[in-house]
Amino acid sequence: MTSLYAELAAKVKADPRVTRHNMARADLGMLLFNAGDALNELWLAAEAELAGDAAVDHPAAARLQAAVEKLRPIFGERP
């Protein structure tokens, strides 16, 4: 079973043209906009987890760190 996000992202990837009316792109934008508060909370929790010493020994810490760094321009503090 795939997530709603994965399904919409696959549709956008299959037809990435911006000039054409693309309902999957619009639906994906709406989905992410509506989940904005939850995504921000997830960002804050992940950043806090990585700041602690417990994350150093956790096997998923590298994946979490990579995801946090990719999202830092969006959710991180601005200069």
Side-chain angles (χ1 to χ4, degrees), residues 11-68:
K11 286 181 181 180
V12 169
K13 194 174 195 176
D15 186 9
R17 293 177 292 175
V18 177
T19 57
R20 183 175 166 258
H21 184 67
N22 190 333
M23 281 306 296
R25 184 180 297 279
D27 289 345
L28 186 57
M30 197 71 115
L31 174 75
L32 293 173
F33 176 79
N34 287 334
D37 289 339
L39 289 170
N40 189 50
E41 285 300 315
L42 181 59
W43 159 262
L44 293 171
E47 191 176 42
E49 180 67 22
L50 291 172
D53 293 334
V56 174
D57 296 330
H58 198 276
R63 285 180 62 199
L64 184 59
Q65 181 68 45
V68 165

Side-chain angles (χ1 to χ4, degrees), residues 60-76:
R63 285 180 62 199
L64 184 59
Q65 181 68 45
V68 165
E69 292 309 316
K70 287 178 185 176
L71 293 172
R72 189 172 298 286
I74 298 170
F75 293 100

